[in-house]
Amino acid sequence: MQHLLTSCASTRSVWFSVLSLVGLQQLTPGPDDRVFTKWWHQALQHIPKHHCKGFNSLAVQVASWIWKHRNGCVFEGASQNQYHHAKY
């Protein structure tokens, strides 16, 4: 689960795309970010306090989407390539 949410190359691409929409692409998890909650906590250190709730909502929503997409791939035969074709 940790790999899927932060250090997987496809997942990092999703995070970059979503975070770019709000000007926070510099917070995209890197290959060395192996624990989702640790990355999330560190990212929050770079967010102004008045934006933390919004960032938390975004992090939960993206993580949920990634997990649901993973389940679709594993249990329903969805294509992994849908990461790159999804509308954020």
Side-chain angles (χ1 to χ4, degrees):
M1 180 174 87
Q2 297 299 329
H3 170 76
L4 175 68
L5 292 178
T6 54
S7 57
C8 171
S10 294
T11 298
R12 288 194 327 266
S13 174
V14 170
W15 282 111
F16 180 82
S17 295
V18 172
L19 291 170
S20 292
L21 293 173
V22 293
L24 296 174
Q25 61 275 9
Q26 73 277 9
L27 299 179
T28 300
D32 294 332
D33 290 313
R34 302 197 186 281
V35 178
F36 175 69
T37 54
K38 185 176 177 182
W39 164 78
W40 189 355
H41 178 73
Q42 289 174 342
L44 279 171
Q45 303 305 310
H46 301 282
I47 305 286
K49 277 207 183 274
H50 62 281
H51 290 298
C52 285
K53 283 184 182 180
F55 182 80
N56 286 337
S57 296
L58 183 68
V60 169
Q61 187 64 36
V62 172
S64 175
W65 183 85
I66 290 168
W67 189 255
K68 287 178 183 179
H69 181 73
R70 176 257 181 209
N71 285 348
C73 291
V74 171
F75 299 113
E76 300 169 13
S79 169
Q80 288 183 345
N81 291 332
Q82 289 173 335
Y83 271 124
H84 304 289
H85 302 294
K87 302 273 188 225
Y88 303 111

